[in-house]
């Protein structure tokens, strides 16, 4: 009986709970359901205090910042987007430091690199580039940056040796230390950076050989060691192990020996520059193996022999520079139907004796033709497709007669024209050029006419002209009035028969860096307006008939490196200030009565000095 009652009690209690549950469910279903709340989005992490301190330590070492980049580095949060050149990950750790010179090339930072940069433990990209006056060494602490994939410290003034410790940056894919003042050998342990895709150590003072450990760069695509003082051979491993290379620049070094045959096994190589070294031997026939090559520069070496016919099989080659070597005749006949992409060719200053410009050159649509010193004779050539030309250099040959056959009026894109050191004989007013011309070099010919008829003649426009050299000819007349807005940087009209005076309008040439009117018949005084040419570096007024004084206004030309006033009829005191009183005496000799340092003192000045020294004694005796 008791057991029955307990069972009944339990059953009723369960029933009661069930009824309560049913009622609660039914009542809740009749109530409005709550809407799901949006989840809060994760906010960027506030800058790590350690990273902020490291960046501020870098800022302290920069004593002058004309770029004004670092003025934005204020406040507690370096990750909020306000710190220029700084980027962070979501956890608030600095991953990118990118400080590059703005568009204005005159701006710079002055200071040194702080070792604190090595405490940015999550940094992936460091670019401190083009800031010009950052000096001192690379801190060894940068070897702590285990996540760094890109290190670019270009175009500053960093010094010392390249640290061995950089070889510890195992994640590095791009390394550029170009445009600094590093010296010594390239550290061999850079070869430990086996993930490198790009290495650029150009424009430094590095010596010694290319390290053999560089053969470990199996992923390397870009190799630039140019403008150093590297010596030794070009290693054969470059072609044996670095099969992914697309760019090689070893120019302007002291590399010697022959080009290794293996160098021509690189299937993806686009650009090969070995110019300005001491390479010897011939161009191997195997050069045809560079099937992707677009640009080849071997100029200014000691290469000899014939230009190989196999070079004509380079289907993609558009730039070919073999100048200043010892290559000899004949040119391969296959060039007439080969190298289909060729746009620019330079065969100047070899042992070639071409006689005439080859038809395969004169009939092609080329951009640049440089055949200086190739023993060309007769009249100037006629080009079939002149409208494509950017530059022509036919100087140091034996061309005679006029210029009309060259058909300059059709060269609508021509920028550089060099015909110097020939025997050309024509009136310079016959030259009609397009407004794109920036350089004209006709020196050492037999040209006649006047500058006025040339510069102001109808049909010619010189609004872009920067360099004019017509020295050592038979040009007469005077110096024409010079217009405002000129871009001229070099004017060399020396060694002619030009008379008259220097016009005051010379001050309009505000870009002028070199002014040479020597060995003419120019008279009158030196205009004071010449002192307004603040960019002038070279001034030669020698061997004329100039009179009067050297104006003191010339002291305003602070950057003047060379000046000559010799063999005129000048008189009076040489301006006593730099650089005029430190130029050698030979700059002032053979004038009427120039005096003052560096020449003997002026007489009147001596007398005044003596008088001033006597005055105190006279006063004492009284």
């Amino acid at each position: 009986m008791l057991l029955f009652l307990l069972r009944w009690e339990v059953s009723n209690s369960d029933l009661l709970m069930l009824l309560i549950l049913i009622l609660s469910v039914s009542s809740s279903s009749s109530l409005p359901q709550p809407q799901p709340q949006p989840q809060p989005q994760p906010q960027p992490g506030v800058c790590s205090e350690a990273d902020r301190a490291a960046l501020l330590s870098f800022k302290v070492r920069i004593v002058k910042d004309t770029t004004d980049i670092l003025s934005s580095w204020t406040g507690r949060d370096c990750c909020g987007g306000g710190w220029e050149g700084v980027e962070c990950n979501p956890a608030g750790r600095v991953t990118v430091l990118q400080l590059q010179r703005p568009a204005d090339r005159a701006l710079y930072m002055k200071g040194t690199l702080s070792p604190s940069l090595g405490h940015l433990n999550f940094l992936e990209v460091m670019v401190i580039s083009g800031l010009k006056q950052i000096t001192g060494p690379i801190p060894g602490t940068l070897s702590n940056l285990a996540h760094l994939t890109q290190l670019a410290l270009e175009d500053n003034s960093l010094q010392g040796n390249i640290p061995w410790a950089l070889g510890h940056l195992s994640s590095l894919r791009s390394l550029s230390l170009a445009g600094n003042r590093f010296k010594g050998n390239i550290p061999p342990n850079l070869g430990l950076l086996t993930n490198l895709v790009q290495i650029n150590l150009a424009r430094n003072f590095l010596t010694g050989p290319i390290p053999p450990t560089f053969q470990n760069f199996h992923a390397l695509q870009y190799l630039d060691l140019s403008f150093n003082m590297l010596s030794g051979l070009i290693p054969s491993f470059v072609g044996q192990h670095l099969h992914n290379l697309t760019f090689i620049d070893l120019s302007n070094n002291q590399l010697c020996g022959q080009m290794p045959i293996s160098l021509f096994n690189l299937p993806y190589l686009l650009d090969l520059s070995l110019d300005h070294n001491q390479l010897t031997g011939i161009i191997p026939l195997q050069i045809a193996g560079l099937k992707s090559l677009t640009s080849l520069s071997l100029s200014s070496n000691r290469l000899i022999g014939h230009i190989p016919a196999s070079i004509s099989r380079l289907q993609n080659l558009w730039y070919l520079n073999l100048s200043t070597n010892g290559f000899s005749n004949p040119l391969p006949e296959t060039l007439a139907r080969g190298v289909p992409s060729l746009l620019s060719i330079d065969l100047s200053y070899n042992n070639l004796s071409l006689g005439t410009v080859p038809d395969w050159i004169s009939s092609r649509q080329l951009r640049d033709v440089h055949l200086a010193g190739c023993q060309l004779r007769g009249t100037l050539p006629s080009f079939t497709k002149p409208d494509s030309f950017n530059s022509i250099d036919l100087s140091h040959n034996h061309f005679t007669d006029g210029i009309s056959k060259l058909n300059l009026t059709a060269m609508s894109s021509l920028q550089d024209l060099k015909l110097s050191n020939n025997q050309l004989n024509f009136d310079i007013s016959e030259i009609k050029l397009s407004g794109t011309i920036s350089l004209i070099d006709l020196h050492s010919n037999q040209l006649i006419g006047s500058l006025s008829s040339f510069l102001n003649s109808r049909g010619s426009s010189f609004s872009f002209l920067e360099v004019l050299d017509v020295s050592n000819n038979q040009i007469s007349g005077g110096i024409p009035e010079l217009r405002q807005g000129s871009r001229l940087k070099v004017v060399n009209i020396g060694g002619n028969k030009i008379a008259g005076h220097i016009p005051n309008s010379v001050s309009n040439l505000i870009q002028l860096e070199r002014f040479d009117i020597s060995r003419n018949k120019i008279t009158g005084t030196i205009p004071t307006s010449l002192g307004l040419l603040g960019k002038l570096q070279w001034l030669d007024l020698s061997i004329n008939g100039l009179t009067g004084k050297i104006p003191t206004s010339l002291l305003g030309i602070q950057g003047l490196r060379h000046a000559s006033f010799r063999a005129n009829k000048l008189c009076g005191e040489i301006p006593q200030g730099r650089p005029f009183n430190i130029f050698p005496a030979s700059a002032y000799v053979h004038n009427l009565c120039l005096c003052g340092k560096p020449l003997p003192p002026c007489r009147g000045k001596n007398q005044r000095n003596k008088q001033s020294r006597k005055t105190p004694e006279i006063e004492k005796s009284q």
Side-chain angles (χ1 to χ4, degrees):
M1 185 66 178
L2 179 60
L3 181 60
F4 172 80
L5 290 173
L6 287 173
R7 286 179 177 173
W8 184 86
E9 187 177 342
V10 170
S11 300
N12 280 287
S13 64
D14 288 343
L15 181 60
L16 180 62
M17 291 299 296
L18 181 60
L19 290 171
I20 293 171
L21 179 61
I22 292 170
L23 289 172
S24 66
V25 169
S26 61
S27 62
S28 65
S29 63
S30 62
L31 294 175
Q33 298 297 310
Q35 297 297 317
Q37 296 298 315
Q39 295 297 317
Q41 295 297 318
Q43 297 298 316
V46 176
C47 174
S48 157
E49 187 57 37
D51 288 1
R52 178 177 175 273
L55 292 173
L56 290 178
S57 295
F58 166 78
K59 182 179 178 179
V60 168
R61 292 286 192 101
I62 303 300
V63 297
K64 190 170 185 180
D65 176 20
T66 67
T67 69
D68 211 31
I69 292 173
L70 299 182
S71 65
S72 67
W73 288 17
T74 57
R76 303 295 303 177
D77 188 5
C78 64
C79 295
W83 288 40
E84 187 174 348
V86 177
E87 298 177 23
C88 303
N89 64 17
R93 304 309 299 260
V94 174
T95 56
V96 174
L97 176 60
Q98 191 159 348
L99 306 176
Q100 292 178 285
R101 180 180 57 208
D104 187 343
R105 298 182 63 85
L107 301 179
Y108 62 91
M109 286 186 188
K110 184 176 183 180
T112 58
L113 295 180
S114 171
S116 67
L117 291 173
H119 301 150
L120 297 170
N121 294 326
F122 288 81
L123 199 65
E124 298 173 10
V125 174
M126 181 188 293
V127 177
I128 301 176
S129 175
L131 300 175
K132 295 194 289 189
Q133 294 192 35
I134 295 182
T135 59
I138 297 177
T141 55
L142 296 194
S143 62
N144 299 329
L145 303 177
H147 299 285
L148 202 65
T149 61
Q150 179 183 354
L151 177 60
L153 304 175
E154 302 171 327
D155 297 314
N156 297 297
S157 297
L158 298 170
Q159 301 155 327
N161 297 324
I162 297 174
W164 284 58
L166 294 184
H168 298 149
L169 300 173
S170 57
S171 299
L172 209 60
R173 291 177 56 82
S174 175
L175 173 64
S176 179
L177 306 177
N180 285 286
R181 299 175 183 173
F182 294 119
K183 61 182 181 179
N185 290 1
I186 300 173
N189 72 332
L190 290 186
L192 298 173
L193 305 175
T194 54
N195 291 314
L196 276 184
V197 174
Q198 172 179 343
I199 184 167
N200 186 353
L201 306 178
R203 292 176 285 115
N204 282 289
F205 301 95
L206 300 172
T207 54
I210 299 172
T213 55
F214 274 26
Q215 64 185 302
N216 298 327
F217 295 152
H218 298 297
L220 198 67
Q221 298 177 18
Y222 185 102
L223 173 64
D224 191 348
L225 306 177
S226 62
F227 289 92
N228 281 288
M229 296 181 286
L230 300 174
S231 56
L233 305 175
I234 298 175
S236 58
F237 68 71
V238 174
Q240 292 170 346
H241 298 290
L242 312 185
H243 294 296
N244 291 304
L245 279 169
T246 61
F247 180 95
I248 299 176
D249 191 349
L250 306 178
S251 66
N252 292 276
N253 280 289
Q254 299 168 15
L255 300 171
C256 61
Q258 300 186 17
M259 292 180 286
I261 300 296
S262 62
L263 188 62
F264 306 113
N265 294 331
L266 299 170
Y268 309 116
L269 192 64
L270 300 174
D271 195 315
L272 177 61
S273 298
L274 305 177
D275 51 282
H276 292 85
N277 279 288
Q278 300 169 17
L279 301 176
T280 55
I282 63 171
I283 299 177
L285 298 174
Q286 290 85 345
I287 194 170
L290 299 176
K291 298 186 182 301
S292 302
L293 199 67
T294 61
S295 176
L296 175 64
S297 181
L298 304 177
S299 67
S300 299
N301 280 287
R302 300 172 185 174
L303 301 172
I304 58 171
H306 304 311
I307 298 170
S310 58
I311 210 167
S312 62
R313 287 153 53 189
L314 299 176
Q315 298 291 303
N316 299 305
L317 191 70
W318 68 266
Y319 178 84
L320 176 63
N321 189 347
L322 306 178
S323 65
T324 319
N325 280 288
F327 297 120
S328 55
N329 285 10
L331 291 180
E333 294 181 2
T334 54
L335 288 175
R337 55 185 181 276
V339 202
S341 302
L342 192 65
L343 291 176
S344 179
I345 185 167
D346 193 343
L347 304 178
S348 304
Y349 306 115
N350 281 285
N351 292 328
L352 296 169
S353 183
L354 299 183
T356 58
V357 175
D359 289 341
W360 63 269
I361 292 180
S362 60
S363 62
R364 285 199 187 201
Q365 187 167 354
L366 298 174
R367 195 183 72 177
D368 309 293
V369 170
H370 296 176
L371 299 175
C374 286
Q375 300 295 319
L376 297 167
R377 302 178 183 277
T379 58
L380 288 169
S382 175
F383 292 100
T384 306
K385 300 175 180 178
D387 58 331
S388 62
F389 280 113
N390 179 73
S391 67
I392 294 176
D393 187 355
L394 300 175
S395 54
H396 288 269
N397 282 294
H398 307 284
F399 288 116
T400 57
D401 297 334
I403 198 171
S404 58
K405 194 174 179 183
L406 201 56
N407 195 15
L408 293 175
T409 54
M411 297 184 180
S412 55
S413 302
L414 191 67
Q415 295 183 26
D416 294 356
L417 176 65
K418 297 180 181 180
L419 301 175
S420 65
N421 286 283
N422 282 284
Q423 290 95 47
L424 297 171
N425 185 349
F426 59 89
D427 191 310
I428 59 172
S429 64
E430 296 176 24
I431 300 176
K432 303 293 189 296
L433 293 164
S434 70
T436 61
I437 195 77
S438 63
L439 182 149
I440 299 174
D441 187 356
L442 302 172
H443 80 265
S444 303
N445 280 286
Q446 299 168 20
L447 308 184
I448 59 172
S450 71
L451 289 175
S452 296
S453 63
F454 170 50
L455 293 174
N456 300 323
S457 64
R458 291 184 178 181
S460 287
S461 173
F462 299 109
S463 54
F464 291 91
L465 189 63
E466 294 184 357
V467 176
L468 174 63
D469 189 345
V470 291
S471 59
N472 299 314
N473 281 287
Q474 303 294 319
I475 297 169
S476 55
I479 301 176
E481 291 295 326
L482 301 161
R483 305 169 183 170
Q484 287 185 338
S486 169
R487 299 188 183 188
L488 278 168
K489 295 180 179 179
V490 175
V491 173
N492 188 353
I493 57 174
N496 282 286
K497 298 178 180 180
I498 297 169
H501 63 279
I502 304 171
N504 283 318
S505 59
V506 70
S507 61
N508 288 331
L509 306 182
I510 58 175
Q511 303 296 328
L512 201 63
E513 298 173 4
R514 186 182 182 108
F515 188 47
D516 189 339
I517 61 172
S518 62
R519 295 165 290 117
N520 279 290
K521 299 178 180 180
I522 296 169
T523 56
T525 59
I526 300 172
T528 58
S529 61
L530 198 61
L532 298 174
L533 302 179
K535 295 185 178 181
L536 202 63
Q537 299 177 23
W538 181 287
L539 175 65
D540 196 339
L541 310 180
S542 63
I543 317 178
N544 280 290
L546 295 168
T547 56
K549 295 183 176 183
I550 299 175
T552 56
S553 64
L554 269 59
L555 290 171
I557 310 175
Q558 296 294 319
L560 199 62
R561 299 176 183 174
H562 170 88
S564 181
F565 302 89
R566 70 184 182 90
N568 279 286
K569 299 176 182 179
L570 299 170
C571 199
E573 185 177 23
I574 294 167
Q576 291 304 294
R578 285 179 176 268
F580 292 92
N581 58 358
I582 62 170
F583 285 140
S586 57
Y588 304 101
V589 297
H590 306 302
N591 277 285
L592 282 182
C593 50
L594 284 179
C595 56
K597 191 177 180 181
L599 298 181
C602 299
R603 289 183 182 180
K605 190 171 183 179
N606 266 355
Q607 291 173 352
R608 288 193 298 273
N609 289 341
K610 288 178 182 177
Q611 185 66 34
S612 64
R613 287 196 295 269
K614 287 179 181 179
T615 301
E617 296 178 6
I618 295 171
E619 289 177 349
K620 232 182 232 183
S621 63
Q622 292 174 345

